Amino acid sequence: MSSAPAPVELERPDLGEAADTDRPWLTLVWNDPINTMDYVTYVFQRVFGYAKPKAEKLMLDVHRKGRAVVANGGREEMERHVEVLHSYGLWATVKRDD
Amino acid sequence: MTDGADESNTSWFQVGARPGGVRVRLGSDAAGLLRALMEQLLDLVGDAPDDASGLAAFGIAESAERPDDPALARLFPDGYRDDDAAADEFRRFTELGLRDAKRETARAVLDVLDTADDELTAELDEAGAVGWMRAVNDVRLVIGTRLDIDEDGDNRPDLDPADPRAALYAFYDWLTAFQSALVYALE
């Protein structure tokens, strides 16, 4: 992501969902040099209904680690998320949790 | 909120929050630039299939391959990274619909631009503003891919102003600032 104004407040990540083994498919978002940090944060809030601190945390994970798991659940649900994220221009993929 | 609002410069824009949406004002050059870029985006995305019978009527393609054009491949990326068969199947089920959606958002911007001959003042509801944000981002993805933009802007060549890429960089920066103003107003 290209650098935009730095986000300010951060919250602890919600690890409860990612640890749920009944939700075996993941929606990943990959870092890219074009989407801006503020846009990606906004999209996470709008698409997933995440509060801004969680959206910013995920955006920073994407930015710093190259990718982040932004949702998990059933395969069809993850494919729908990826389709919506593609409509916003984010680089998202579905992956089985392993 | 105001951005780039030096009205002696006809590429100025203003984006402000209003109840339920945003108000966008564009100088005449900015409106013309946005129109030209949206028209080029529509050309790139292409028309819907003529034959909307069979599976295509449901947004499902008979077959689908990753576009050769890197900009189109960026607009319509693979949905699976390490599974070509799953990526093809995902594309078969989603790409026609995504192309429709990208055409619709670009056309919606053009419809608003058509309401003014010169400078534009438009009141967008939230969904409309999000559509503008998405369409502007689609153009950024295309130009950014063409220019091989990198994360920090380090690979920007020192271009002669007459180089066509110099104009593309200027458009890209304008779109980035405009999109950022839309995001800020929507938040």
mmCIF file with all atom_site columns, all heavy atoms in Angstrom, chain B residues 75-97:
data_model
loop_
_atom_site.group_PDB
_atom_site.id
_atom_site.type_symbol
_atom_site.label_atom_id
_atom_site.label_alt_id
_atom_site.label_comp_id
_atom_site.label_asym_id
_atom_site.label_entity_id
_atom_site.label_seq_id
_atom_site.pdbx_PDB_ins_code
_atom_site.Cartn_x
_atom_site.Cartn_y
_atom_site.Cartn_z
_atom_site.occupancy
_atom_site.B_iso_or_equiv
_atom_site.pdbx_formal_charge
_atom_site.auth_seq_id
_atom_site.auth_comp_id
_atom_site.auth_asym_id
_atom_site.auth_atom_id
_atom_site.pdbx_PDB_model_num
ATOM 1   N N   . LEU B 1 75 ? -7.497  -5.652  -12.329 1.00 0.00 ? 75 LEU B N   1
ATOM 2   C CA  . LEU B 1 75 ? -8.913  -5.367  -12.035 1.00 0.00 ? 75 LEU B CA  1
ATOM 3   C C   . LEU B 1 75 ? -9.678  -6.649  -11.704 1.00 0.00 ? 75 LEU B C   1
ATOM 4   O O   . LEU B 1 75 ? -10.629 -6.629  -10.939 1.00 0.00 ? 75 LEU B O   1
ATOM 5   C CB  . LEU B 1 75 ? -9.582  -4.681  -13.228 1.00 0.00 ? 75 LEU B CB  1
ATOM 6   C CG  . LEU B 1 75 ? -9.204  -3.233  -13.513 1.00 0.00 ? 75 LEU B CG  1
ATOM 7   C CD1 . LEU B 1 75 ? -9.935  -2.752  -14.764 1.00 0.00 ? 75 LEU B CD1 1
ATOM 8   C CD2 . LEU B 1 75 ? -9.534  -2.324  -12.339 1.00 0.00 ? 75 LEU B CD2 1
ATOM 9   N N   . PHE B 1 76 ? -9.252  -7.761  -12.336 1.00 0.00 ? 76 PHE B N   1
ATOM 10  C CA  . PHE B 1 76 ? -9.937  -9.042  -12.153 1.00 0.00 ? 76 PHE B CA  1
ATOM 11  C C   . PHE B 1 76 ? -8.905  -10.097 -11.751 1.00 0.00 ? 76 PHE B C   1
ATOM 12  O O   . PHE B 1 76 ? -8.533  -10.951 -12.542 1.00 0.00 ? 76 PHE B O   1
ATOM 13  C CB  . PHE B 1 76 ? -10.667 -9.435  -13.444 1.00 0.00 ? 76 PHE B CB  1
ATOM 14  C CG  . PHE B 1 76 ? -11.579 -8.346  -13.948 1.00 0.00 ? 76 PHE B CG  1
ATOM 15  C CD1 . PHE B 1 76 ? -11.230 -7.560  -15.028 1.00 0.00 ? 76 PHE B CD1 1
ATOM 16  C CD2 . PHE B 1 76 ? -12.781 -8.082  -13.297 1.00 0.00 ? 76 PHE B CD2 1
ATOM 17  C CE1 . PHE B 1 76 ? -12.055 -6.539  -15.471 1.00 0.00 ? 76 PHE B CE1 1
ATOM 18  C CE2 . PHE B 1 76 ? -13.615 -7.058  -13.730 1.00 0.00 ? 76 PHE B CE2 1
ATOM 19  C CZ  . PHE B 1 76 ? -13.252 -6.288  -14.821 1.00 0.00 ? 76 PHE B CZ  1
ATOM 20  N N   . PRO B 1 77 ? -8.458  -10.015 -10.499 1.00 0.00 ? 77 PRO B N   1
ATOM 21  C CA  . PRO B 1 77 ? -7.371  -10.913 -10.076 1.00 0.00 ? 77 PRO B CA  1
ATOM 22  C C   . PRO B 1 77 ? -7.871  -12.330 -9.807  1.00 0.00 ? 77 PRO B C   1
ATOM 23  O O   . PRO B 1 77 ? -9.079  -12.572 -9.713  1.00 0.00 ? 77 PRO B O   1
ATOM 24  C CB  . PRO B 1 77 ? -6.872  -10.261 -8.780  1.00 0.00 ? 77 PRO B CB  1
ATOM 25  C CG  . PRO B 1 77 ? -8.038  -9.518  -8.239  1.00 0.00 ? 77 PRO B CG  1
ATOM 26  C CD  . PRO B 1 77 ? -8.872  -9.086  -9.419  1.00 0.00 ? 77 PRO B CD  1
ATOM 27  N N   . ASP B 1 78 ? -6.930  -13.253 -9.704  1.00 0.00 ? 78 ASP B N   1
ATOM 28  C CA  . ASP B 1 78 ? -7.289  -14.619 -9.330  1.00 0.00 ? 78 ASP B CA  1
ATOM 29  C C   . ASP B 1 78 ? -7.892  -14.631 -7.926  1.00 0.00 ? 78 ASP B C   1
ATOM 30  O O   . ASP B 1 78 ? -7.445  -13.905 -7.040  1.00 0.00 ? 78 ASP B O   1
ATOM 31  C CB  . ASP B 1 78 ? -6.043  -15.519 -9.335  1.00 0.00 ? 78 ASP B CB  1
ATOM 32  C CG  . ASP B 1 78 ? -5.579  -15.851 -10.741 1.00 0.00 ? 78 ASP B CG  1
ATOM 33  O OD1 . ASP B 1 78 ? -6.404  -15.765 -11.682 1.00 0.00 ? 78 ASP B OD1 1
ATOM 34  O OD2 . ASP B 1 78 ? -4.401  -16.213 -10.899 1.00 0.00 ? 78 ASP B OD2 1
ATOM 35  N N   . GLY B 1 79 ? -8.865  -15.514 -7.734  1.00 0.00 ? 79 GLY B N   1
ATOM 36  C CA  . GLY B 1 79 ? -9.485  -15.640 -6.411  1.00 0.00 ? 79 GLY B CA  1
ATOM 37  C C   . GLY B 1 79 ? -8.816  -16.689 -5.540  1.00 0.00 ? 79 GLY B C   1
ATOM 38  O O   . GLY B 1 79 ? -9.101  -16.786 -4.339  1.00 0.00 ? 79 GLY B O   1
ATOM 39  N N   . TYR B 1 80 ? -7.934  -17.488 -6.174  1.00 0.00 ? 80 TYR B N   1
ATOM 40  C CA  . TYR B 1 80 ? -7.120  -18.474 -5.443  1.00 0.00 ? 80 TYR B CA  1
ATOM 41  C C   . TYR B 1 80 ? -5.700  -18.291 -5.915  1.00 0.00 ? 80 TYR B C   1
ATOM 42  O O   . TYR B 1 80 ? -5.441  -18.081 -7.088  1.00 0.00 ? 80 TYR B O   1
ATOM 43  C CB  . TYR B 1 80 ? -7.589  -19.905 -5.738  1.00 0.00 ? 80 TYR B CB  1
ATOM 44  C CG  . TYR B 1 80 ? -8.891  -20.277 -5.065  1.00 0.00 ? 80 TYR B CG  1
ATOM 45  C CD1 . TYR B 1 80 ? -10.105 -19.876 -5.606  1.00 0.00 ? 80 TYR B CD1 1
ATOM 46  C CD2 . TYR B 1 80 ? -8.902  -21.032 -3.891  1.00 0.00 ? 80 TYR B CD2 1
ATOM 47  C CE1 . TYR B 1 80 ? -11.309 -20.207 -4.995  1.00 0.00 ? 80 TYR B CE1 1
ATOM 48  C CE2 . TYR B 1 80 ? -10.100 -21.376 -3.279  1.00 0.00 ? 80 TYR B CE2 1
ATOM 49  C CZ  . TYR B 1 80 ? -11.292 -20.966 -3.829  1.00 0.00 ? 80 TYR B CZ  1
ATOM 50  O OH  . TYR B 1 80 ? -12.477 -21.300 -3.215  1.00 0.00 ? 80 TYR B OH  1
ATOM 51  N N   . ARG B 1 81 ? -4.773  -18.419 -5.012  1.00 0.00 ? 81 ARG B N   1
ATOM 52  C CA  . ARG B 1 81 ? -3.386  -18.123 -5.357  1.00 0.00 ? 81 ARG B CA  1
ATOM 53  C C   . ARG B 1 81 ? -2.603  -19.370 -5.760  1.00 0.00 ? 81 ARG B C   1
ATOM 54  O O   . ARG B 1 81 ? -1.777  -19.307 -6.667  1.00 0.00 ? 81 ARG B O   1
ATOM 55  C CB  . ARG B 1 81 ? -2.715  -17.477 -4.143  1.00 0.00 ? 81 ARG B CB  1
ATOM 56  C CG  . ARG B 1 81 ? -1.428  -16.753 -4.444  1.00 0.00 ? 81 ARG B CG  1
ATOM 57  C CD  . ARG B 1 81 ? -0.942  -16.069 -3.174  1.00 0.00 ? 81 ARG B CD  1
ATOM 58  N NE  . ARG B 1 81 ? 0.408   -15.571 -3.290  1.00 0.00 ? 81 ARG B NE  1
ATOM 59  C CZ  . ARG B 1 81 ? 0.722   -14.291 -3.466  1.00 0.00 ? 81 ARG B CZ  1
ATOM 60  N NH1 . ARG B 1 81 ? -0.222  -13.396 -3.571  1.00 0.00 ? 81 ARG B NH1 1
ATOM 61  N NH2 . ARG B 1 81 ? 1.989   -13.924 -3.535  1.00 0.00 ? 81 ARG B NH2 1
ATOM 62  N N   . ASP B 1 82 ? -2.834  -20.488 -5.122  1.00 0.00 ? 82 ASP B N   1
ATOM 63  C CA  . ASP B 1 82 ? -2.009  -21.680 -5.376  1.00 0.00 ? 82 ASP B CA  1
ATOM 64  C C   . ASP B 1 82 ? -2.830  -22.837 -5.916  1.00 0.00 ? 82 ASP B C   1
ATOM 65  O O   . ASP B 1 82 ? -2.465  -23.995 -5.741  1.00 0.00 ? 82 ASP B O   1
ATOM 66  C CB  . ASP B 1 82 ? -1.299  -22.105 -4.089  1.00 0.00 ? 82 ASP B CB  1
ATOM 67  C CG  . ASP B 1 82 ? -0.418  -20.994 -3.551  1.00 0.00 ? 82 ASP B CG  1
ATOM 68  O OD1 . ASP B 1 82 ? 0.327   -20.415 -4.364  1.00 0.00 ? 82 ASP B OD1 1
ATOM 69  O OD2 . ASP B 1 82 ? -0.504  -20.700 -2.352  1.00 0.00 ? 82 ASP B OD2 1
ATOM 70  N N   . ASP B 1 83 ? -3.958  -22.531 -6.528  1.00 0.00 ? 83 ASP B N   1
ATOM 71  C CA  . ASP B 1 83 ? -4.850  -23.581 -7.012  1.00 0.00 ? 83 ASP B CA  1
ATOM 72  C C   . ASP B 1 83 ? -5.463  -23.084 -8.323  1.00 0.00 ? 83 ASP B C   1
ATOM 73  O O   . ASP B 1 83 ? -6.498  -22.406 -8.319  1.00 0.00 ? 83 ASP B O   1
ATOM 74  C CB  . ASP B 1 83 ? -5.931  -23.862 -5.955  1.00 0.00 ? 83 ASP B CB  1
ATOM 75  C CG  . ASP B 1 83 ? -6.826  -25.036 -6.347  1.00 0.00 ? 83 ASP B CG  1
ATOM 76  O OD1 . ASP B 1 83 ? -6.903  -25.361 -7.553  1.00 0.00 ? 83 ASP B OD1 1
ATOM 77  O OD2 . ASP B 1 83 ? -7.461  -25.601 -5.442  1.00 0.00 ? 83 ASP B OD2 1
ATOM 78  N N   . ASP B 1 84 ? -4.811  -23.421 -9.449  1.00 0.00 ? 84 ASP B N   1
ATOM 79  C CA  . ASP B 1 84 ? -5.251  -22.889 -10.743 1.00 0.00 ? 84 ASP B CA  1
ATOM 80  C C   . ASP B 1 84 ? -6.669  -23.309 -11.089 1.00 0.00 ? 84 ASP B C   1
ATOM 81  O O   . ASP B 1 84 ? -7.440  -22.522 -11.640 1.00 0.00 ? 84 ASP B O   1
ATOM 82  C CB  . ASP B 1 84 ? -4.294  -23.350 -11.856 1.00 0.00 ? 84 ASP B CB  1
ATOM 83  C CG  . ASP B 1 84 ? -2.948  -22.652 -11.766 1.00 0.00 ? 84 ASP B CG  1
ATOM 84  O OD1 . ASP B 1 84 ? -2.861  -21.637 -11.040 1.00 0.00 ? 84 ASP B OD1 1
ATOM 85  O OD2 . ASP B 1 84 ? -1.994  -23.124 -12.408 1.00 0.00 ? 84 ASP B OD2 1
ATOM 86  N N   . ALA B 1 85 ? -7.013  -24.547 -10.778 1.00 0.00 ? 85 ALA B N   1
ATOM 87  C CA  . ALA B 1 85 ? -8.355  -25.030 -11.128 1.00 0.00 ? 85 ALA B CA  1
ATOM 88  C C   . ALA B 1 85 ? -9.409  -24.247 -10.352 1.00 0.00 ? 85 ALA B C   1
ATOM 89  O O   . ALA B 1 85 ? -10.434 -23.821 -10.917 1.00 0.00 ? 85 ALA B O   1
ATOM 90  C CB  . ALA B 1 85 ? -8.467  -26.525 -10.832 1.00 0.00 ? 85 ALA B CB  1
ATOM 91  N N   . ALA B 1 86 ? -9.165  -24.049 -9.063  1.00 0.00 ? 86 ALA B N   1
ATOM 92  C CA  . ALA B 1 86 ? -10.122 -23.287 -8.247  1.00 0.00 ? 86 ALA B CA  1
ATOM 93  C C   . ALA B 1 86 ? -10.164 -21.826 -8.712  1.00 0.00 ? 86 ALA B C   1
ATOM 94  O O   . ALA B 1 86 ? -11.241 -21.213 -8.732  1.00 0.00 ? 86 ALA B O   1
ATOM 95  C CB  . ALA B 1 86 ? -9.743  -23.367 -6.767  1.00 0.00 ? 86 ALA B CB  1
ATOM 96  N N   . ALA B 1 87 ? -8.998  -21.281 -9.097  1.00 0.00 ? 87 ALA B N   1
ATOM 97  C CA  . ALA B 1 87 ? -8.963  -19.892 -9.581  1.00 0.00 ? 87 ALA B CA  1
ATOM 98  C C   . ALA B 1 87 ? -9.784  -19.752 -10.860 1.00 0.00 ? 87 ALA B C   1
ATOM 99  O O   . ALA B 1 87 ? -10.532 -18.785 -11.030 1.00 0.00 ? 87 ALA B O   1
ATOM 100 C CB  . ALA B 1 87 ? -7.514  -19.449 -9.816  1.00 0.00 ? 87 ALA B CB  1
ATOM 101 N N   . ASP B 1 88 ? -9.647  -20.732 -11.776 1.00 0.00 ? 88 ASP B N   1
ATOM 102 C CA  . ASP B 1 88 ? -10.419 -20.686 -13.025 1.00 0.00 ? 88 ASP B CA  1
ATOM 103 C C   . ASP B 1 88 ? -11.913 -20.767 -12.748 1.00 0.00 ? 88 ASP B C   1
ATOM 104 O O   . ASP B 1 88 ? -12.720 -20.054 -13.357 1.00 0.00 ? 88 ASP B O   1
ATOM 105 C CB  . ASP B 1 88 ? -10.009 -21.832 -13.954 1.00 0.00 ? 88 ASP B CB  1
ATOM 106 C CG  . ASP B 1 88 ? -8.637  -21.616 -14.569 1.00 0.00 ? 88 ASP B CG  1
ATOM 107 O OD1 . ASP B 1 88 ? -8.098  -20.496 -14.422 1.00 0.00 ? 88 ASP B OD1 1
ATOM 108 O OD2 . ASP B 1 88 ? -8.101  -22.556 -15.186 1.00 0.00 ? 88 ASP B OD2 1
ATOM 109 N N   . GLU B 1 89 ? -12.278 -21.667 -11.858 1.00 0.00 ? 89 GLU B N   1
ATOM 110 C CA  . GLU B 1 89 ? -13.688 -21.839 -11.544 1.00 0.00 ? 89 GLU B CA  1
ATOM 111 C C   . GLU B 1 89 ? -14.254 -20.582 -10.877 1.00 0.00 ? 89 GLU B C   1
ATOM 112 O O   . GLU B 1 89 ? -15.358 -20.130 -11.207 1.00 0.00 ? 89 GLU B O   1
ATOM 113 C CB  . GLU B 1 89 ? -13.851 -23.064 -10.624 1.00 0.00 ? 89 GLU B CB  1
ATOM 114 C CG  . GLU B 1 89 ? -15.261 -23.583 -10.488 1.00 0.00 ? 89 GLU B CG  1
ATOM 115 C CD  . GLU B 1 89 ? -15.822 -24.187 -11.780 1.00 0.00 ? 89 GLU B CD  1
ATOM 116 O OE1 . GLU B 1 89 ? -15.129 -24.162 -12.819 1.00 0.00 ? 89 GLU B OE1 1
ATOM 117 O OE2 . GLU B 1 89 ? -16.972 -24.654 -11.728 1.00 0.00 ? 89 GLU B OE2 1
ATOM 118 N N   . PHE B 1 90 ? -13.499 -19.997 -9.965  1.00 0.00 ? 90 PHE B N   1
ATOM 119 C CA  . PHE B 1 90 ? -13.922 -18.754 -9.316  1.00 0.00 ? 90 PHE B CA  1
ATOM 120 C C   . PHE B 1 90 ? -14.132 -17.658 -10.368 1.00 0.00 ? 90 PHE B C   1
ATOM 121 O O   . PHE B 1 90 ? -15.135 -16.943 -10.354 1.00 0.00 ? 90 PHE B O   1
ATOM 122 C CB  . PHE B 1 90 ? -12.872 -18.323 -8.290  1.00 0.00 ? 90 PHE B CB  1
ATOM 123 C CG  . PHE B 1 90 ? -13.192 -17.034 -7.589  1.00 0.00 ? 90 PHE B CG  1
ATOM 124 C CD1 . PHE B 1 90 ? -14.052 -17.013 -6.494  1.00 0.00 ? 90 PHE B CD1 1
ATOM 125 C CD2 . PHE B 1 90 ? -12.643 -15.837 -8.032  1.00 0.00 ? 90 PHE B CD2 1
ATOM 126 C CE1 . PHE B 1 90 ? -14.357 -15.814 -5.856  1.00 0.00 ? 90 PHE B CE1 1
ATOM 127 C CE2 . PHE B 1 90 ? -12.948 -14.642 -7.392  1.00 0.00 ? 90 PHE B CE2 1
ATOM 128 C CZ  . PHE B 1 90 ? -13.799 -14.629 -6.313  1.00 0.00 ? 90 PHE B CZ  1
ATOM 129 N N   . ARG B 1 91 ? -13.193 -17.559 -11.292 1.00 0.00 ? 91 ARG B N   1
ATOM 130 C CA  . ARG B 1 91 ? -13.290 -16.540 -12.341 1.00 0.00 ? 91 ARG B CA  1
ATOM 131 C C   . ARG B 1 91 ? -14.520 -16.786 -13.217 1.00 0.00 ? 91 ARG B C   1
ATOM 132 O O   . ARG B 1 91 ? -15.223 -15.845 -13.597 1.00 0.00 ? 91 ARG B O   1
ATOM 133 C CB  . ARG B 1 91 ? -12.003 -16.578 -13.187 1.00 0.00 ? 91 ARG B CB  1
ATOM 134 C CG  . ARG B 1 91 ? -11.934 -15.548 -14.290 1.00 0.00 ? 91 ARG B CG  1
ATOM 135 C CD  . ARG B 1 91 ? -10.605 -15.623 -15.022 1.00 0.00 ? 91 ARG B CD  1
ATOM 136 N NE  . ARG B 1 91 ? -9.467  -15.295 -14.163 1.00 0.00 ? 91 ARG B NE  1
ATOM 137 C CZ  . ARG B 1 91 ? -9.152  -14.054 -13.788 1.00 0.00 ? 91 ARG B CZ  1
ATOM 138 N NH1 . ARG B 1 91 ? -9.870  -13.028 -14.193 1.00 0.00 ? 91 ARG B NH1 1
ATOM 139 N NH2 . ARG B 1 91 ? -8.112  -13.837 -13.018 1.00 0.00 ? 91 ARG B NH2 1
ATOM 140 N N   . ARG B 1 92 ? -14.781 -18.056 -13.530 1.00 0.00 ? 92 ARG B N   1
ATOM 141 C CA  . ARG B 1 92 ? -15.925 -18.402 -14.374 1.00 0.00 ? 92 ARG B CA  1
ATOM 142 C C   . ARG B 1 92 ? -17.236 -17.933 -13.732 1.00 0.00 ? 92 ARG B C   1
ATOM 143 O O   . ARG B 1 92 ? -18.155 -17.498 -14.417 1.00 0.00 ? 92 ARG B O   1
ATOM 144 C CB  . ARG B 1 92 ? -15.952 -19.922 -14.572 1.00 0.00 ? 92 ARG B CB  1
ATOM 145 C CG  . ARG B 1 92 ? -16.644 -20.404 -15.811 1.00 0.00 ? 92 ARG B CG  1
ATOM 146 C CD  . ARG B 1 92 ? -16.287 -21.850 -16.102 1.00 0.00 ? 92 ARG B CD  1
ATOM 147 N NE  . ARG B 1 92 ? -16.917 -22.795 -15.201 1.00 0.00 ? 92 ARG B NE  1
ATOM 148 C CZ  . ARG B 1 92 ? -18.200 -23.178 -15.275 1.00 0.00 ? 92 ARG B CZ  1
ATOM 149 N NH1 . ARG B 1 92 ? -18.989 -22.677 -16.193 1.00 0.00 ? 92 ARG B NH1 1
ATOM 150 N NH2 . ARG B 1 92 ? -18.693 -24.047 -14.422 1.00 0.00 ? 92 ARG B NH2 1
ATOM 151 N N   . PHE B 1 93 ? -17.292 -17.991 -12.424 1.00 0.00 ? 93 PHE B N   1
ATOM 152 C CA  . PHE B 1 93 ? -18.516 -17.638 -11.713 1.00 0.00 ? 93 PHE B CA  1
ATOM 153 C C   . PHE B 1 93 ? -18.597 -16.161 -11.324 1.00 0.00 ? 93 PHE B C   1
ATOM 154 O O   . PHE B 1 93 ? -19.660 -15.689 -10.972 1.00 0.00 ? 93 PHE B O   1
ATOM 155 C CB  . PHE B 1 93 ? -18.674 -18.494 -10.452 1.00 0.00 ? 93 PHE B CB  1
ATOM 156 C CG  . PHE B 1 93 ? -19.273 -19.839 -10.731 1.00 0.00 ? 93 PHE B CG  1
ATOM 157 C CD1 . PHE B 1 93 ? -18.486 -20.888 -11.173 1.00 0.00 ? 93 PHE B CD1 1
ATOM 158 C CD2 . PHE B 1 93 ? -20.639 -20.041 -10.592 1.00 0.00 ? 93 PHE B CD2 1
ATOM 159 C CE1 . PHE B 1 93 ? -19.041 -22.128 -11.445 1.00 0.00 ? 93 PHE B CE1 1
ATOM 160 C CE2 . PHE B 1 93 ? -21.206 -21.278 -10.868 1.00 0.00 ? 93 PHE B CE2 1
ATOM 161 C CZ  . PHE B 1 93 ? -20.402 -22.324 -11.296 1.00 0.00 ? 93 PHE B CZ  1
ATOM 162 N N   . THR B 1 94 ? -17.472 -15.449 -11.347 1.00 0.00 ? 94 THR B N   1
ATOM 163 C CA  . THR B 1 94 ? -17.509 -14.081 -10.813 1.00 0.00 ? 94 THR B CA  1
ATOM 164 C C   . THR B 1 94 ? -17.146 -12.991 -11.820 1.00 0.00 ? 94 THR B C   1
ATOM 165 O O   . THR B 1 94 ? -17.571 -11.848 -11.651 1.00 0.00 ? 94 THR B O   1
ATOM 166 C CB  . THR B 1 94 ? -16.541 -13.915 -9.620  1.00 0.00 ? 94 THR B CB  1
ATOM 167 O OG1 . THR B 1 94 ? -15.203 -14.192 -10.046 1.00 0.00 ? 94 THR B OG1 1
ATOM 168 C CG2 . THR B 1 94 ? -16.915 -14.846 -8.476  1.00 0.00 ? 94 THR B CG2 1
ATOM 169 N N   . GLU B 1 95 ? -16.344 -13.319 -12.862 1.00 0.00 ? 95 GLU B N   1
ATOM 170 C CA  . GLU B 1 95 ? -15.767 -12.206 -13.621 1.00 0.00 ? 95 GLU B CA  1
ATOM 171 C C   . GLU B 1 95 ? -16.815 -11.429 -14.415 1.00 0.00 ? 95 GLU B C   1
ATOM 172 O O   . GLU B 1 95 ? -16.736 -10.194 -14.513 1.00 0.00 ? 95 GLU B O   1
ATOM 173 C CB  . GLU B 1 95 ? -14.648 -12.690 -14.550 1.00 0.00 ? 95 GLU B CB  1
ATOM 174 C CG  . GLU B 1 95 ? -13.896 -11.503 -15.147 1.00 0.00 ? 95 GLU B CG  1
ATOM 175 C CD  . GLU B 1 95 ? -12.736 -11.895 -16.031 1.00 0.00 ? 95 GLU B CD  1
ATOM 176 O OE1 . GLU B 1 95 ? -11.965 -12.785 -15.630 1.00 0.00 ? 95 GLU B OE1 1
ATOM 177 O OE2 . GLU B 1 95 ? -12.608 -11.318 -17.119 1.00 0.00 ? 95 GLU B OE2 1
ATOM 178 N N   . LEU B 1 96 ? -17.801 -12.107 -14.987 1.00 0.00 ? 96 LEU B N   1
ATOM 179 C CA  . LEU B 1 96 ? -18.832 -11.376 -15.743 1.00 0.00 ? 96 LEU B CA  1
ATOM 180 C C   . LEU B 1 96 ? -19.551 -10.385 -14.831 1.00 0.00 ? 96 LEU B C   1
ATOM 181 O O   . LEU B 1 96 ? -19.803 -9.238  -15.212 1.00 0.00 ? 96 LEU B O   1
ATOM 182 C CB  . LEU B 1 96 ? -19.835 -12.349 -16.365 1.00 0.00 ? 96 LEU B CB  1
ATOM 183 C CG  . LEU B 1 96 ? -19.339 -13.187 -17.551 1.00 0.00 ? 96 LEU B CG  1
ATOM 184 C CD1 . LEU B 1 96 ? -20.445 -14.138 -18.008 1.00 0.00 ? 96 LEU B CD1 1
ATOM 185 C CD2 . LEU B 1 96 ? -18.902 -12.302 -18.706 1.00 0.00 ? 96 LEU B CD2 1
ATOM 186 N N   . GLY B 1 97 ? -19.881 -10.829 -13.635 1.00 0.00 ? 97 GLY B N   1
ATOM 187 C CA  . GLY B 1 97 ? -20.568 -9.949  -12.695 1.00 0.00 ? 97 GLY B CA  1
ATOM 188 C C   . GLY B 1 97 ? -19.689 -8.787  -12.255 1.00 0.00 ? 97 GLY B C   1
ATOM 189 O O   . GLY B 1 97 ? -20.159 -7.650  -12.120 1.00 0.00 ? 97 GLY B O   1
#
